[in-house]
Amino acid sequence: EPEVTQTPSHQVTQMGQEVILRCVPISNHLYFYWYRQILGQKVEFLVSFYNNEISEKSEIFDDQFSVERPDGSNFTLKIRSTKLEDSAMYFCASTLRTSGGADEQFFGPGTRLTVL
Amino acid sequence: AQSVTQLGSHVSVSEGALVLLRCNYSSSVPPYLFWYVQYPNQGLQLLLKYTSAATLVKGINGFEAEFKKSETSFHLTKPSAHMSDAAEYFCAVRNINNDMRFGAGTRLTVKP
């Protein structure tokens, strides 16, 4: 069964450093998402991406964040200068389409980011 | 924007007892509603989803949920809890912009 994959599973970084979180969505999916979950809190939407551009972004997704689909398979989230409060689990998700039905978003296993 | 509220951050039941996890939604349009489960140190797995085809939705692992428009609810139930059901459960609604909006989550504990 196809699945969303994410690497690395755990990333430790120093405050102020740049990190890139990587995701490989399901191959025929067209819509991609990043969510984050701070420890003990709910899952929060960050950004959605379609047709090589951002569709929507939340207030959390400020100028420190960027997303990219550098090739036909990877979908990345970059945090330019990490802060302590960026420590969280980051989930990638993808879906085939969003119109005309409640298409399920398939979630990856997450990357745990720890900022020291 | 659509949103969901989960009542009870922590629910504890005995093995074999009924599981009831509550979720209420707020939506200006017919909602698409989902329940996800998160086992420790794992990602989110879809349990079931409401797409307006039927008000009673059956999911995996014996879970089901009933959409009640009059109560704006989509509570998750399971007749008999197993130890393996211990996890965090998230109710979610698909937002008008197609992202998912999650509730705060309910941690289910199952006692022997």
Side-chain angles (χ1 to χ4, degrees):
Chain A
E1 185 176 336
E3 58 183 16
V4 178
T5 59
Q6 291 185 242
T7 54
S9 58
H10 191 185
Q11 174 88 47
V12 181
T13 189
Q14 296 289 327
M15 189 170 57
Q17 294 296 304
E18 174 183 287
V19 295
I20 297 176
L21 310 182
R22 303 181 191 280
C23 168
V24 179
I26 293 174
S27 62
N28 63 335
H29 284 190
L30 302 175
Y31 297 81
F32 315 115
Y33 307 83
W34 282 102
Y35 296 82
R36 79 170 185 191
Q37 183 183 29
I38 295 172
L39 186 63
Q41 299 185 26
K42 68 178 179 180
V43 178
E44 301 172 290
F45 167 72
L46 291 178
V47 66
S48 60
F49 191 86
Y50 169 71
N51 199 25
N52 283 321
E53 61 183 23
I54 291 175
S55 303
E56 297 292 335
K57 59 183 181 179
S58 72
E59 60 275 9
I60 303 169
F61 195 88
D62 60 22
D63 292 344
Q64 293 283 60
F65 292 90
S66 63
V67 289
E68 190 179 30
R69 188 157 165 80
D71 52 44
S73 60
N74 289 283
F75 179 50
T76 62
L77 174 69
K78 181 192 292 185
I79 309 175
R80 288 188 184 81
S81 178
T82 51
K83 304 186 286 289
L84 295 177
E85 53 265 37
D86 293 328
S87 294
M89 182 75 91
Y90 288 80
F91 292 105
C92 174
S94 70
T95 188
L96 178 58
R97 60 180 182 270
T98 58
S99 61
D103 279 30
E104 171 191 351
Q105 288 190 12
F106 290 81
F107 285 79
T111 293
R112 181 168 298 283
L113 176 65
T114 302
V115 182
L116 302 176
Chain B
Q2 276 80 337
S3 65
V4 290
T5 302
Q6 290 183 245
L7 301 177
S9 60
H10 190 192
V11 170
S12 182
V13 300
S14 298
E15 192 174 18
L18 171 71
V19 175
L20 171 61
L21 305 182
R22 300 178 186 273
C23 174
N24 288 89
Y25 69 89
S26 171
S27 177
S28 57
V29 297
Y32 293 124
L33 295 161
F34 304 79
W35 275 100
Y36 282 87
V37 60
Q38 184 181 32
Y39 297 103
N41 300 313
Q42 295 188 27
L44 298 166
Q45 181 182 3
L46 181 71
L47 277 177
L48 49 81
K49 63 182 179 182
Y50 169 72
T51 62
S52 75
T55 56
L56 183 63
V57 182
K58 294 188 184 296
I60 63 171
N61 302 338
F63 285 93
E64 62 182 37
E66 186 172 8
F67 175 76
K68 291 187 177 181
K69 184 177 180 180
S70 61
E71 299 177 7
T72 61
S73 68
F74 190 56
H75 301 330
L76 182 71
T77 60
K78 182 173 180 177
S80 176
H82 295 160
M83 297 296 292
S84 60
D85 294 326
E88 188 91 16
Y89 291 81
F90 292 94
C91 181
V93 62
R94 201 184 81 185
N95 196 32
I96 193 167
N97 294 322
N98 295 318
D99 58 274
M100 301 287 277
R101 297 299 166 107
F102 288 85
T106 298
R107 181 170 299 278
L108 176 65
T109 301
V110 182
K111 298 175 292 186

